[in-house]
Amino acid sequence: AFGGTDLPPAHIGLAIASPLLKMQEGTRQIRLTLAVANLDPATHTEPNMAAAFEAYVTGPKGWLGPYSLGCDIIGSQLQLSTSVAATDPAVVGYSAAIHGLAFATQDPVIQILLRPDAALKYAALTNLTLSTAQLHVDIEGLQTSLALENDNGSLNPKKAFQPFGPQPVPGSRFMIGSEEALSKRLTDLKVHFSWLAAPSNLSSWYTSYKNQSRMSNGVSARLVYQDRSGQISAASQDIMLRDGNGVTTLSPNPPAILPESGSQAEDYRLFALMFSGSGIARLLGKRRKKSRPQHDREKVPAPSPRNGYITLALEDDFLHADYRKESVYHAIKQDNISLNEPYTPTIQGISLDYSAESEAIDLSANLQSSFTNLDLQFFHVGCFGQAREHAYLRQQLDYVADKQIRLLPAYPNEGEFLIGLSGVAAGDGVNLLMQVAEGSADPEMEAQKLSWSVLCDNYWRPFSPQELTQDSSNDLRASGIVALTLPHETDLDHTWMPTGQVWLRAAIKEQSGAACQLIEVAANAVEVVYVAHDPTNDPLHLAAPLAAGTIAKLKDPQASVKKILQPYASFGGRQQESSEMLTRRSAERLRHRNRCITPWDYERMLLEAFPEVHKVKCIPHADGTSWLAPGNVLLIVIPDLRNQNAVDPLQPRVDLDTLTRMTEYAQAHCGMQVKLKVKNPRYQRVRVSFNVRFMPGYPYNFYRNELEQALIRALSPWAFDATRPIDFNGRIYRSVVLDFVEELPYVDFVTDFRLGIVDDDNNTLKDVSELVATAPDIILVSDNSHAIAELLDT
């Protein structure tokens, strides 16, 4: 019920959903900053934390990844970062139909999952708690998703275009649309232009122009945009400037508009703005030592911000009107002065870079405003589902004891068994049959208490004593019925477990081996009791268990009951006491006087009190580890061999619950100084190996199995016939077993006959002629299979 080492490791971790993660193209850097408490500098090192996780993001056809993570630890801040390559598809919003899982969001999601093979295990991360979380993204190379326009209409970014039209004048506009970038809170914004066929020297190109001096100061534009913060960012910026006559560096940072490589780009420095989150423009690049004062330029009204667009409006022109006027003037004057055609700005390539960040969300604050802020949502990724986490959620539920938000989902129990129910709702009663494999609990462990809970609002709500009305399984130490009443908080709409069902959880804190292995969990279980004192009933009815499937219908049918099943044999009950049994019990009572002193007393009293036990052997002065331990009493018990529900009839075991009750019973009837231990016997498996040839007409494939079953019955006869005794001081002779095999009517002859004990690694030890139990608590039994090979003709 509570798992094992052979199960695959679960994918657990954390996830962040945010509109900030919507990224169409380019090289995309994601950085998650978490304020984490309880970081251990010796354990939670940057290399260990980076290697412990891997990232996945939502793509158009499924999850993208895994991506490796980088890690920086600055004080109590844990920064996890990853990169999505430009060749990878877009990061899109989460869709349950495409991505599966159960995230309650439509925003893009990044999952950060714990690697099963990481050196840093889950146990080393369970105590890390979170207070704040913030997301930051950096995108480089946004191109195909840009929408470009000017005053004349839409522009095709795949071809060279004139951003301000063929005859740019002051006020001509060029608009760069990026809903992705401008729908976020920007911290940096960069535009990259690649000019086509620009003059090598802007001032020299306009030689003989009357207003040549205007070009020596370059061309400026007014930039305006509005991002998600709602603040309008605007400033004047040079977009083309010749700097051949000396330069002055104004900022060590890279320019916001950068030229592509090439001779023309190297001759020009291209300028724009890199806006900070406060809307303050920082001028980047190189300027000439002397530039035209701002008041000498034409006063061009700032353009109005357009939603989702960056607007550039020219404050200068490229002297196209001057060219027409002066060309006519020089033609009339015939002064042989020829003017170069003014440069019409043409962009050959354009791309956009930006950086954005979310608000810092306080996950530990019990504030509804913090919870309803959808700029960033924090999720836990569990073994079977996902759930949003926030302190506000936990504070609203009284039954959630742990109010802290942890880095990883908390699994405080060693084992959890989850049961999904359909057709029930809050207020309903649930009766579950917990059929266990008797004796499969580890008898060497202490009995453990189970805690039962129901999933409500994605959190486990414990059942109160009034709601857990019955547990005859004694915490899964025996087969029995668990009866529960579902509380009013019970719901069907959750994401931590598959939705549409009511989920119950049985949890064991430690030593999960103290619970028996499960055979079946069945709903709508009731216990039927045979009324032995009814004079119309057969007094010999309880001589043998009622076989499974015997009860098939009600004596008085009820319309609400469609079908009745008896899946397992009956248990408990005692046959009506005969006069001989009364005489025996009375004589035994007179002898032991309801107290345990001699080994005989222990054995008879336990057999009388526990009819489900077939045999008891008392070994005085022994404790299971030593056969010379004064003051100790070791009791070896064997269950009723008629128990048809045993998990292994060749190695029958009394369940841990019965062992616990027998210990309590014997301890209450013996001396105070006696130390008792009740345990199952140790079984040593006997295996034979040989080559065999069958008589003509007896095919090997069929009769090999018949021979193996005959050997099992011969070596463990008590497992098939309850009248045959089971012996502790067993002794098996190889010659006797060999004679048994050779006497079978379908066996011609055998060779290479060997007899040995099977060890814990399923290896047969050396061949011996005689096997003897080496300790008082050992029983020799047949192995489940034997090595029988066909003897072929040579």
Side-chain angles (χ1 to χ4, degrees):
F2 302 106
T5 57
D6 56 334
L7 294 176
H11 291 285
I12 63 172
L14 59 113
I16 299 294
S18 173
L20 200 69
L21 291 170
K22 185 177 181 180
M23 300 175 290
Q24 292 293 321
E25 57 179 328
T27 301
R28 292 147 283 181
Q29 302 281 343
I30 305 172
R31 184 172 73 252
L32 176 62
T33 302
L34 303 170
V36 181
N38 304 323
L39 283 170
D40 183 1
T43 303
H44 306 120
T45 62
E46 292 179 351
N48 284 347
M49 293 293 285
F53 296 96
E54 57 188 8
Y56 297 82
V57 294
T58 47
K61 295 183 179 180
W63 290 96
L64 305 179
Y67 298 105
S68 59
L69 287 175
C71 177
D72 292 308
I73 300 177
I74 305 172
S76 62
Q77 283 196 343
L78 174 66
Q79 292 185 350
L80 300 174
S81 58
T82 189
S83 176
V84 180
T87 55
D88 287 348
V91 181
V92 301
Y94 166 79
S95 171
I98 297 175
H99 304 104
L101 307 184
F103 289 102
T105 183
Q106 293 181 347
D107 293 328
V109 175
I110 177 172
Q111 288 191 90
I112 300 177
L113 303 181
L114 185 64
R115 296 170 57 95
D117 56 348
L120 199 61
K121 301 300 181 183
Y122 168 78
L125 301 168
T126 53
N127 292 329
L128 300 183
T129 59
L130 303 179
S131 55
T132 63
Q134 188 175 25
L135 193 65
H136 187 95
V137 296
D138 295 295
I139 288 81
E140 296 181 0
L142 206 61
Q143 293 180 332
T144 59
S145 60
L146 298 178
L148 306 179
E149 296 182 14
N150 62 14
D151 291 326
N152 299 323
S154 300
L155 302 173
N156 186 356
K158 297 181 180 180
K159 300 179 181 179
F161 59 90
Q162 296 171 339
F164 302 103
Q167 298 287 327
V169 296
S172 295
R173 296 180 304 170
F174 172 45
M175 289 155 284
I176 307 169
S178 178
E179 182 182 357
E180 172 187 323
L182 297 180
S183 63
K184 304 174 182 179
R185 298 174 66 249
L186 297 178
T187 57
D188 289 311
L189 181 65
K190 301 177 184 179
V191 181
H192 298 260
F193 291 163
S194 177
W195 299 107
L196 176 64
S200 60
N201 187 303
L202 191 62
S203 179
S204 299
W205 183 260
Y206 286 91
T207 300
S208 301
Y209 278 73
K210 292 181 180 180
N211 292 322
Q212 178 188 10
S213 60
R214 289 171 52 186
M215 303 310 297
S216 63
N217 193 43
V219 179
S220 65
R222 188 78 176 178
L223 286 85
V224 176
Y225 75 88
Q226 184 177 12
D227 65 3
R228 186 182 179 183
S229 66
Q231 189 171 8
I232 298 176
S233 300
S236 179
Q237 178 64 62
D238 290 329
I239 61 172
M240 182 174 286
L241 180 67
R242 174 63 177 152
D243 58 357
N245 296 325
V247 297
T248 300
T249 302
L250 299 181
S251 172
N253 296 321
I257 291 186
L258 302 177
E260 302 295 336
S261 61
S263 60
Q264 296 175 349
E266 291 171 355
D267 289 338
Y268 273 86
R269 293 296 291 173
L270 310 177
F271 288 84
L273 291 179
M274 181 165 64
F275 294 98
S276 67
S278 61
I280 300 175
R282 290 183 290 145
L283 182 61
L284 305 176
K286 299 179 180 179
R287 281 189 181 275
R288 296 175 60 185
K289 289 183 178 180
K290 184 177 180 180
S291 62
R292 185 170 4 146
Q294 186 71 25
H295 59 79
D296 288 347
R297 289 177 167 163
E298 297 185 39
K299 300 299 182 182
V300 178
S304 300
R306 181 181 174 187
N307 188 29
Y309 281 82
I310 304 166
T311 301
L312 288 83
L314 283 178
E315 294 183 315
D316 298 306
D317 65 5
F318 288 84
L319 305 183
H320 285 75
D322 291 31
Y323 171 73
R324 292 192 295 270
K325 294 178 183 178
E326 293 182 29
S327 294
V328 173
Y329 171 78
H330 290 299
I332 295 174
K333 193 174 181 181
Q334 296 183 353
D335 54 8
N336 295 324
I337 295 177
S338 177
L339 301 178
N340 290 330
E341 290 187 11
Y343 175 66
T344 301
T346 304
I347 293 178
Q348 193 172 31
I350 182 173
S351 64
L352 180 71
D353 301 343
Y354 71 88
S355 299
E357 65 182 10
S358 69
E359 295 184 29
I361 304 300
D362 192 348
L363 299 173
S364 61
N366 184 23
L367 298 174
Q368 186 174 9
S369 58
S370 178
F371 170 71
T372 55
N373 187 343
L374 301 183
D375 205 30
L376 183 149
Q377 300 176 69
F378 179 82
F379 291 84
H380 272 152
V381 179
C383 302
F384 303 102
Q386 302 75 39
R388 188 181 176 191
E389 281 289 0
H390 196 281
Y392 177 78
L393 284 171
R394 292 177 171 265
Q395 292 291 344
Q396 307 308 307
L397 304 175
D398 296 335
Y399 50 83
V400 179
D402 187 5
K403 304 298 184 181
Q404 294 181 313
I405 305 301
R406 301 186 180 274
L407 178 68
L408 296 179
Y411 289 98
N413 305 302
E414 180 181 309
E416 297 179 355
F417 179 56
L418 308 174
I419 306 171
L421 302 175
S422 59
V424 294
D428 290 347
V430 176
N431 286 21
L432 300 176
L433 168 63
M434 314 296 290
Q435 187 70 30
V436 303
E438 307 290 348
S440 58
D442 189 345
E444 301 299 324
M445 293 184 176
E446 297 293 332
Q448 300 296 317
K449 183 68 176 177
L450 294 188
S451 59
W452 286 86
S453 309
V454 60
L455 188 63
C456 306
D457 294 325
N458 280 333
Y459 294 99
W460 293 106
R461 179 196 181 281
F463 281 99
S464 66
Q466 294 75 22
E467 294 164 342
L468 181 58
T469 56
Q470 179 187 0
D471 182 9
S472 61
S473 73
N474 295 333
D475 299 314
L476 289 188
R477 293 193 298 271
S479 297
I481 294 177
V482 176
L484 306 159
T485 300
L486 299 178
H488 70 274
E489 297 95 341
T490 303
D491 64 356
L492 301 176
D493 187 14
H494 32 245
T495 59
W496 193 241
M497 295 296 294
T499 188
Q501 291 179 308
V502 171
W503 285 96
L504 306 178
R505 182 186 72 174
I508 189 167
K509 192 71 175 179
E510 58 184 3
Q511 293 187 329
S512 58
C516 289
Q517 297 178 14
L518 274 172
I519 295 176
E520 184 182 5
V521 177
N524 304 319
V526 295
E527 185 176 294
V528 179
V529 180
Y530 180 75
V531 183
H533 61 268
D534 189 334
T536 62
N537 288 337
D538 183 3
L540 300 178
H541 177 79
L542 296 176
L546 191 66
T550 303
I551 300 176
K553 61 181 180 179
L554 292 174
K555 180 179 180 180
D556 298 320
Q558 298 183 21
S560 59
V561 179
K562 295 183 178 179
K563 189 176 183 181
I564 287 182
L565 297 175
Q566 181 208 343
Y568 302 99
S570 63
F571 59 93
R574 306 187 69 170
Q575 188 176 357
Q576 182 176 344
E577 192 175 44
S578 62
S579 57
E580 292 81 3
M581 295 171 65
L582 175 61
T583 302
R584 186 198 66 190
R585 182 167 62 88
S586 301
E588 291 178 353
R589 176 60 182 262
L590 290 173
R591 177 174 175 177
H592 59 63
R593 299 188 180 183
N594 203 33
R595 60 188 180 183
C596 297
I597 298 178
T598 67
W600 187 93
D601 298 339
Y602 283 98
E603 294 172 354
R604 294 302 183 276
M605 288 185 65
L606 288 175
L607 286 173
E608 180 66 29
F610 296 90
E612 65 269 27
V613 175
H614 171 68
K615 190 170 186 177
V616 178
K617 180 179 182 179
C618 179
I619 306 175
H621 308 305
D623 61 2
T625 59
S626 173
W627 305 113
L628 296 173
N632 292 271
V633 173
L634 182 64
L635 296 168
I636 311 300
V637 294
I638 301 173
D640 190 347
L641 301 180
R642 299 173 300 171
N643 184 0
Q644 301 179 35
N645 301 328
V647 63
D648 187 353
L650 297 180
Q651 298 184 36
R653 299 181 185 274
V654 174
D655 61 272
L656 180 60
D657 181 60
T658 303
L659 294 179
T660 303
R661 291 188 290 111
M662 292 179 73
T663 302
E664 295 171 350
Y665 178 84
Q667 196 73 62
H669 292 81
C670 69
M672 297 174 56
Q673 77 283 1
V674 176
K675 297 180 181 179
L676 275 171
K677 184 175 182 60
V678 183
K679 64 185 290 286
N680 284 297
R682 289 185 293 164
Y683 293 98
Q684 286 189 344
R685 294 179 291 160
V686 178
R687 179 183 294 172
V688 295
S689 64
F690 55 91
N691 300 324
V692 62
R693 177 178 291 176
F694 293 120
M695 291 290 187
Y698 294 90
Y700 171 78
N701 292 337
F702 176 80
Y703 281 95
R704 184 215 174 277
N705 183 64
E706 290 292 309
L707 175 56
E708 185 175 65
Q709 294 302 315
L711 275 171
I712 294 174
R713 289 191 295 270
L715 294 173
S716 300
W718 40 264
F720 305 91
D721 184 357
T723 62
R724 300 289 295 272
I726 181 171
D727 297 325
F728 282 94
N729 299 320
R731 186 181 298 269
I732 299 176
Y733 296 95
R734 181 177 58 191
S735 59
V736 174
V737 180
L738 174 59
D739 181 68
F740 169 79
V741 173
E742 290 181 333
E743 291 299 323
L744 292 174
Y746 46 82
V747 174
D748 189 357
F749 64 91
V750 298
T751 62
D752 301 325
F753 195 89
R754 294 179 175 85
L755 178 72
I757 295 294
V758 180
D759 61 13
D760 294 336
D761 296 327
N762 204 34
N763 298 318
T764 306
L765 302 181
K766 66 178 182 178
D767 175 39
V768 294
S769 60
E770 179 185 359
L771 287 177
V772 181
T774 57
D777 63 338
I778 289 179
I779 298 176
L780 298 177
V781 299
S782 172
D783 193 15
N784 292 321
S785 61
H786 296 277
I788 303 174
E790 183 180 12
L791 185 62
L792 302 175
D793 295 331
T794 58

